[in-house]
Amino acid sequence: MTVTQAAIKQDRILILDFGSQYSQLIARRVREAGVFSELYPYDIGVDKIREFGAKGVILSGGPESVYLDDAPLIDDAVFDLGVPVLGICYGMQAMAQRFGGQIAASAQQEFGAAVIDKIADDALLGEIEDAPNKLSVWMSHGDKVIALPDGFVATASTPSCPIAAMGDDTRQYYGLQFHPEVTHTQQGAAIISRFVHQICGCANDWTPTNIIDMQVEALKQRVGDKQVLLGLSGGVDSSVVAALLHKAIGDQLICVFVDNGLLRLHEGDQVMQVFAENMGVKVVRVDAEERFLTALAGVSDPEAKRKIIGKTFIDVFSDAARELSSAEQGIEFLAQGTIYPDVIESAKSHQGKAHVIKSHHNVGGLPDDLQFELVEPLRDLFKDEVRKLGISLGLPEKMIYRHPFPGPGLGVRILGEVKKQYADILRQADAIFMQELENAGWYDKTAQAFAVFQPIKSVGVVGDGRRYAWVIALRAVETVDFMTARFAHLPYELIETVSNRIMNEIKDVSRVTYDVSSKPPATIEWE
């Protein structure tokens, strides 16, 4: 049975963003509940709100105070839709004010874990609890609703916030002062599932299998008998795009894998094995190590290195694309691994409102003589959804769930100038670190771990001889969102094992250090 885009997106939730740091989490949680959702700025306008076709609306939190003159307000079109509405934090306060309630600054602000008392049942919170009439939640607010609007009842409270949740079952409007989208709210997933399924009546159609079927059908229709070119980096996004395209169009897919000499140990061979040998994907491997290292010679500034690596990649990919276009007839499409956060953060989506946090170009910036139509089959998906697709498509779990690796590769893990000798040393040290993390069961306990080459020498002793060689730093962090992170508290025995192996197996290393910096003030990567 063919699964069309209309079918699995028919039941959809509109999320209006009032500036919360957790807004993307709301969309992810709704999708985890099996329902398609999209995130838009709160002021997208009446037409967009109506055209979306929502079966329910969620209003996010935000940093403002609703009683200020320039505070963002809810468009009345939301309430004209006749669908359930859930307001979270600021969204609750804005909805309360809209219907005649009162909001004021709280004398006792609540930030962090809290336990709320359920004081009445409604369709949203009824029977959901961690203990009798108790919910463990995550609070983050300085204002609160002090007087309910007509038609609403208070359903939960804390000592400092008597109206911690409110509901109007008749109109199906609900407000939560806490954040159900945050994992610290223990019943958050159950609350969101209750809203989208029982209250909004959405089906459970947004699943990896259905998404794959939908995209395969869409790709077949769009591409036809033409060929698609993909820049395959070996990262999660491009790997899933490759697997998805191969399932849809088979040998009409041509991948270009640029080996820049800045990859992890044996990574190039692993990419070729997974895609070319095991899956039968046509992959053209371009050995460009010398070209990249020549371009980086004498350059020490991190930003300059990033720009050089990005430009060189585009040049190498463009040359390969020209050769393939001449040799292969019918290459009309260029595939990219753009995902939904890229779209939001680059402010290039149809919503056109998000602040530019960083630009995501993938293989953007290609010369004008390379005229390809863009194909971005993952642009509706979050990273966790992309990973689930990869597993469903048969990609190795180790590839899909490995730690993040920067686009410039080892180029920004070699401090200062990049040289082949440094890259070779770092590759070996990083591989030893990863092996021992896995052996000790710590790889999955850390969000990101890697080795860093420091271009300084230190005196060491090997046997009866003196060794004057390079220094390697180890970095491992624990984080949920990568916005903040603390250094991983690895066992001393594990660090000792890694250190001993690196210095014994790599003759050009005389000292190993462990980075105990947290973010902030440090960053996760060193450059």
Side-chain angles (χ1 to χ4, degrees):
M1 177 181 176
T2 298
V3 180
T4 66
Q5 178 168 316
I8 72 172
K9 289 186 174 182
Q10 181 175 359
D11 289 352
R12 47 174 48 200
I13 299 295
L14 171 63
I15 301 163
L16 295 179
D17 182 14
F18 287 88
S20 170
Q21 61 180 318
Y22 304 131
S23 294
Q24 288 192 32
L25 274 180
I26 301 172
R28 287 171 56 191
R29 298 294 176 252
V30 171
R31 292 183 182 198
E32 286 171 2
V35 178
F36 180 70
S37 64
E38 281 193 305
L39 179 67
Y40 286 81
Y42 72 93
D43 57 351
I44 57 170
V46 175
D47 292 341
K48 288 284 189 182
I49 290 172
R50 290 173 178 165
E51 291 168 6
F52 186 81
K55 294 198 75 171
V57 178
I58 299 179
L59 312 172
S60 85
E64 307 297 335
S65 295
V66 299
Y67 45 77
L68 298 179
D69 291 340
D70 57 350
L73 302 176
I74 307 169
D75 196 308
D76 281 346
V78 168
F79 302 107
D80 293 337
L81 296 175
V83 300
V85 180
L86 170 62
I88 297 173
C89 199
Y90 182 92
M92 168 181 167
Q93 296 164 12
M95 181 163 58
Q97 185 186 59
R98 162 66 177 74
F99 290 106
Q102 294 181 38
I103 294 84
S106 179
Q108 183 179 340
Q109 299 179 340
E110 290 183 300
F111 295 96
V115 175
I116 63 173
D117 295 308
K118 291 179 60 183
I119 56 178
D121 278 339
D122 61 6
L124 181 64
L125 296 183
E127 299 178 358
I128 296 178
E129 55 191 23
D130 294 306
N133 298 318
K134 303 281 187 182
L135 280 170
S136 297
V137 303
W138 186 260
M139 289 283 199
S140 182
H141 68 100
D143 296 333
K144 61 183 179 182
V145 178
I146 60 172
L148 284 167
D150 290 342
F152 286 81
V153 297
T155 55
S157 69
T158 70
S160 64
C161 183
I163 306 174
M166 65 182 193
D168 179 344
D169 281 333
T170 301
R171 290 178 291 184
Q172 294 186 301
Y173 296 158
Y174 304 93
L176 303 175
Q177 188 56 70
F178 59 89
H179 290 269
E181 71 274 22
V182 176
T183 55
H184 298 81
T185 297
Q186 294 182 15
Q187 297 295 328
I191 294 170
I192 288 176
S193 179
R194 172 76 60 82
F195 179 72
V196 300
H197 292 302
Q198 278 73 43
I199 296 176
C200 297
C202 295
N204 189 35
D205 289 334
W206 189 254
T207 64
T209 300
N210 285 348
I211 294 170
I212 290 170
D213 290 345
M214 173 190 74
Q215 288 294 355
V216 165
E217 184 64 26
L219 287 166
K220 285 180 178 178
Q221 292 183 9
R222 184 175 179 193
V223 174
D225 61 355
K226 305 300 181 184
Q227 291 183 306
V228 179
L229 189 65
L230 169 66
L232 178 62
S233 69
V236 174
D237 300 334
S238 68
S239 295
V240 173
V241 171
L244 188 59
L245 281 164
H246 184 63
K247 182 177 178 67
I249 60 174
D251 59 9
Q252 292 169 239
L253 170 65
I254 303 174
C255 296
V256 174
F257 171 55
V258 177
D259 190 339
N260 59 11
L262 302 172
L263 302 176
R264 289 164 285 198
L265 190 66
H266 305 314
E267 187 166 13
D269 295 339
Q270 290 167 0
V271 170
M272 295 302 294
Q273 182 181 23
V274 168
F275 290 97
E277 298 175 24
N278 293 353
M279 296 178 61
V281 178
K282 183 174 182 180
V283 183
V284 177
R285 182 174 183 174
V286 182
D287 184 358
E289 179 183 56
E290 185 176 348
R291 189 165 173 179
F292 276 85
L293 292 176
T294 299
L296 288 166
V299 179
S300 297
D301 180 75
E303 284 306 305
K305 289 194 295 185
R306 287 178 180 273
K307 290 177 181 177
I308 289 170
I309 293 169
K311 181 182 182 304
T312 305
F313 176 83
I314 290 171
D315 292 343
V316 172
F317 182 84
S318 299
D319 291 345
R322 289 190 187 94
E323 292 180 14
L324 288 167
S325 294
S326 299
E328 304 276 353
Q329 299 299 314
I331 301 181
E332 296 187 6
F333 296 92
L334 173 67
Q336 292 194 158
T338 306
I339 62 176
Y340 194 41
D342 298 344
V343 175
I344 296 170
E345 292 173 4
S346 295
K348 292 178 181 176
S349 69
H350 42 276
Q351 60 200 49
K353 284 290 293 184
H355 294 291
V356 177
I357 298 172
K358 55 183 175 179
S359 294
H360 298 264
H361 298 296
N362 291 296
V363 289
L366 293 174
D368 292 337
D369 64 326
L370 292 175
Q371 298 294 331
F372 295 117
E373 188 176 338
L374 201 58
V375 175
E376 298 175 311
L378 306 181
R379 68 178 285 118
D380 280 344
L381 305 180
F382 287 102
K383 193 77 165 188
D384 48 343
E385 295 176 302
V386 173
R387 288 194 170 102
K388 291 175 183 176
L389 253 63
I391 296 298
S392 296
L393 287 163
L395 292 176
E397 186 170 341
K398 189 173 181 179
M399 170 185 281
I400 293 300
Y401 284 99
R402 67 182 176 178
H403 290 177
F405 190 60
L410 300 183
V412 291
R413 290 179 178 173
I414 297 170
L415 304 190
E417 184 180 4
V418 178
K419 297 182 179 181
K420 177 174 172 51
Q421 178 199 11
Y422 300 169
D424 289 341
I425 292 170
L426 181 56
R427 258 187 284 274
Q428 295 177 64
D430 189 76
I432 290 170
F433 190 22
M434 296 308 106
Q435 288 169 10
E436 293 302 332
L437 283 172
E438 290 179 352
N439 291 341
W442 270 88
Y443 185 85
D444 292 332
K445 295 178 184 178
T446 56
Q448 191 169 3
F450 53 91
V452 179
F453 180 89
Q454 301 189 62
I456 54 175
K457 287 190 172 183
S458 174
V459 174
V461 178
V462 181
D464 295 325
R466 176 180 182 271
R467 176 187 286 180
Y468 187 53
W470 304 108
V471 178
I472 291 291
L474 305 177
R475 178 74 158 144
V477 298
E478 298 169 348
T479 181
V480 174
D481 56 13
F482 290 89
M483 301 293 290
T484 61
R486 78 166 193 171
F487 72 90
H489 293 197
L490 301 181
Y492 288 148
E493 294 80 6
L494 172 56
I495 297 173
E496 182 180 26
T497 299
V498 175
S499 175
N500 287 338
R501 279 197 61 191
I502 289 174
M503 288 187 290
N504 286 329
E505 297 176 28
I506 308 174
K507 64 181 179 61
D508 293 312
V509 176
S510 65
R511 193 172 299 270
V512 174
T513 66
Y514 186 59
D515 183 351
V516 295
S517 309
S518 291
K519 177 186 179 181
T523 55
I524 295 176
E525 296 283 351
W526 278 44
E527 286 193 343

